[in-house]
Amino acid sequence: MATQTERAVLVRAAGVLPWRVQDGRLQFALVHRPRYNDWSWPKGKLERGEEWALAATRETLEETGLEVRLGPPLPTSWYGLGTKDGRPQLKQVRYWAGTVCGGSGALEHEIDEVTWLDAAQARERLSYRRDREQLDAATEAHAEGLLDTWTLLIVRHAVAVGRGSWKGPDPQRPLTPVGARRADRLIALLHAYRPQHLLTSPSLRCTDTLAPYSAYSGLPLTERRGLSEEGYAEGPAKAVKHLRKVVERGEGTALCTHGPVLPDLLGHLAGQAPDGHGARMLTRLARNGLDKGEVLAVQLAGTGDRARVVDVERHRPSS
């Protein structure tokens, strides 16, 4: 017999806790929905085929007029929505902390007020007990110095023409139509994290994976031979050397490379992750690899040898 969860219609949504430090005090932005007369976090349903992270930033912009850069993920919320066509509805809302990086603040979508409140005030203002879980997690992260993070986006190049069917030099193997579509879809996903630098293997299948976002954002592609398969074969230590320079800088970066290079990069990052989810995931992925076209969002606090991996999220291609 099917369980109630299996019978339920799943409604997927995503949201953000915009945060800032004002006069030394941690504050969060809440939204008021006149239709329900409630105070909650900016959030909304995923559109067809939409990535979770994109939905979170899109809905935040629509509801608050604020552009945000995603930071650490926060606890997911699950709750019932009653029934539809005789079937129960279950809502899943994934949340991230978000740093405001632009926007007019003009209200655009079903919201009549946005207010910034200190953590204690926000806790009192929130209409639903379930929304306090994200608030508590963000507040605790701030107290531990783990809320203000920067994001390293490890990208495995999208699907390329197979080696067996390619007659030219291997570094010139292009993306397939499937790979090119994934590269285009990466524009919105990468933009949710707002990288400041784009670092890539010079192989065409890597540069073409990041090229659409480079054109969209205006950020140049910086090529490093040590991130290529050929450069890695000549000197395996070079790839980690490039990674260490990124961590020393401590600014949002998308780094595109190849499957054979990933184990050393992910293994190095695992060494900067405390025992727990992040370290286990990085170690497992160093062994098993990423999908072609996958983006691994690694949230780090601090720089250099003191940098600490706060969380790791996989963004796998849907097709």
Side-chain angles (χ1 to χ4, degrees), residues 27-47:
Q27 295 184 332
F28 298 92
L30 280 65
V31 298
H32 181 259
R33 301 184 299 176
R35 179 181 177 184
Y36 302 102
N37 190 27
D38 62 5
W39 288 92
S40 61
W41 307 120
K43 63 181 182 299
K45 297 177 185 176
L46 273 64
E47 296 179 349

Side-chain angles (χ1 to χ4, degrees), residues 15-17 26 28 40-41 43 72-79 93-97 123 126 128-142 147:
V16 171
L17 273 64
L26 178 64
F28 298 92
S40 61
W41 307 120
K43 63 181 182 299
L74 298 170
T76 297
S77 182
W78 298 83
Y79 53 94
V93 189
R94 291 182 58 183
Y95 286 101
W96 284 262
R123 187 176 179 82
L126 287 166
Y128 306 106
R129 182 178 299 178
R130 62 177 177 261
D131 287 344
R132 296 174 185 171
E133 186 176 6
Q134 295 80 34
L135 174 66
D136 291 344
T139 303
E140 291 169 9
H142 177 70
L147 185 62

Side-chain angles (χ1 to χ4, degrees), residues 55 142 155 159 200 249 279:
H142 177 70
V155 185
V159 178
T200 181
R249 182 168 53 194

Side-chain angles (χ1 to χ4, degrees), residues 157-284:
H157 68 76
V159 178
V161 172
R163 297 180 197 271
S165 58
W166 178 248
K167 305 305 180 183
D170 188 75
Q172 294 302 310
R173 278 196 292 129
L175 298 179
T176 66
V178 170
R181 287 195 296 271
R182 177 58 177 170
D184 286 338
R185 287 180 62 85
L186 287 182
I187 294 174
L189 176 59
L190 298 180
H191 191 62
Y193 291 97
R194 304 294 181 103
Q196 298 167 262
H197 307 278
L198 303 179
L199 195 63
T200 181
S201 156
S203 296
L204 187 63
R205 55 193 182 275
C206 282
T207 58
D208 279 2
T209 297
L210 291 187
Y213 184 71
S214 175
Y216 172 82
S217 65
L219 296 173
L221 291 177
T222 300
E223 298 180 4
R224 291 289 182 263
R225 180 172 170 79
L227 295 175
S228 68
E229 290 193 44
E230 297 76 19
Y232 179 73
E234 294 167 2
K238 292 181 180 180
V240 170
K241 181 180 178 181
H242 292 314
L243 175 61
R244 289 180 63 88
K245 288 183 178 180
V246 171
V247 176
E248 288 170 3
R249 182 168 53 194
E251 296 177 349
T253 300
L255 184 157
C256 187
T257 188
H258 309 259
V261 185
L262 287 170
D264 284 4
L265 299 183
L266 300 182
H268 179 78
L269 288 171
Q272 294 191 258
D275 293 338
H277 169 74
R280 290 195 301 271
M281 178 179 286
L282 288 166
T283 300
R284 185 176 71 252

Side-chain angles (χ1 to χ4, degrees), residues 12 47-51 185 318:
R12 301 188 304 163
E47 296 179 349
R48 184 182 180 89
E50 188 174 34
E51 301 260 7
R185 287 180 62 85
S318 56

